Amino acid sequence: MIEAIKRIRPAGERLSAFQMIWHTALLLALGVALGLLAKFLDELPSNELPFLLERLDLANFLSGFSFWVLLSVIISVYSRSPLRAGINAFCFLTGMLVGYYTYTAFISGFFPRSYIMIWVIMTLFSPLLAAVCWLAKGPGVLSMVITSGILMVFFLMAFAVGFLYFDIFSMLDVLMWLICIAVLYQSPKQIVICIGASSAAAVLISVLRPYLPF
């Protein structure tokens, strides 16, 4: 298995134990800080925000998925190995959950169990998903397939598509899609193929979704 992964994408230079602990601790702290910030903005009346932030609806945006998924993808693909990608993404999302829901429980005074379970499940699966995302920066066909899958997810979070309509959920979600394209870019040919394949797959899924049994 290790040799197969190395053929897809070789691991980077090994860090010292101190560097690994330090990097992961920073990501954990970043997750806590961003989680606290997201909940603080969510609680703040929109008319108290600067005009630009109010227009962007930043509080609702940070309560969604695309920002957090993008940061997790960035953390994953720039980690030194799939194992490090899994550890780093898991610690970052755990920190976000701790910050967001500590603020929710102790300052806002309520605890939405059903909503937090969605994030808990995502966080528990994040090590596996992060390891797969790490492979997206490899040179082969499998890496292009993974890149296309990641871009498809961001397309679905940014655009609403049907037989006779096309709409944008949020310009910030579109920005996350564009940033993800930039992060996963390796060559003009690679990124054009991946954008085309991911967009086609996303449109097909959107059109067929009402007819699917799940």
Side-chain angles (χ1 to χ4, degrees), residues 61 70 158 170-181:
F61 169 69
L70 177 66
S170 162
M171 289 306 300
L172 289 175
D173 291 320
V174 175
L175 178 62
M176 299 300 102
W177 176 64
L178 293 173
I179 293 174
C180 189
I181 290 173

Side-chain angles (χ1 to χ4, degrees), residues 15-28 84 88:
L15 300 175
S16 67
F18 174 79
Q19 287 175 315
M20 288 189 288
I21 293 171
W22 176 244
H23 289 175
T24 301
L26 286 177
L27 290 171
L28 178 65
R84 291 294 304 158
N88 289 339

Side-chain angles (χ1 to χ4, degrees), residues 44-178:
L44 198 66
S46 61
N47 58 4
E48 293 186 13
L49 293 171
F51 175 76
L52 179 59
L53 297 183
E54 182 181 352
R55 292 289 296 174
L56 289 174
D57 197 16
L58 191 60
N60 284 330
F61 169 69
L62 291 178
S63 295
F65 292 102
S66 62
F67 175 75
W68 306 105
V69 175
L70 177 66
L71 289 183
S72 299
V73 169
I74 292 172
I75 289 168
S76 300
V77 299
Y78 289 113
S79 294
R80 301 283 178 150
S81 68
L83 177 61
R84 291 294 304 158
I87 293 171
N88 289 339
F90 177 79
C91 289
F92 169 73
L93 290 174
T94 298
M96 183 273 287
L97 285 177
V98 169
Y100 191 94
Y101 288 103
T102 296
Y103 193 111
T104 300
F106 292 99
I107 298 179
S108 301
F110 71 100
F111 195 78
R113 293 183 182 275
S114 58
Y115 186 67
I116 192 176
M117 285 307 300
I118 298 173
W119 283 104
V120 168
I121 292 170
M122 287 181 59
T123 301
L124 290 175
F125 280 98
S126 65
L128 175 60
L129 297 174
V132 173
C133 288
W134 182 85
L135 296 173
K137 276 290 192 177
V141 174
L142 180 58
S143 296
M144 292 179 66
V145 172
I146 294 171
T147 296
S148 299
I150 296 169
L151 293 180
M152 181 190 72
V153 171
F154 278 90
F155 188 100
L156 291 170
M157 291 191 290
F159 305 107
V161 183
F163 279 117
L164 298 174
Y165 68 88
F166 179 86
D167 200 6
I168 295 173
F169 288 123
S170 162
M171 289 306 300
L172 289 175
D173 291 320
V174 175
L175 178 62
M176 299 300 102
W177 176 64
L178 293 173

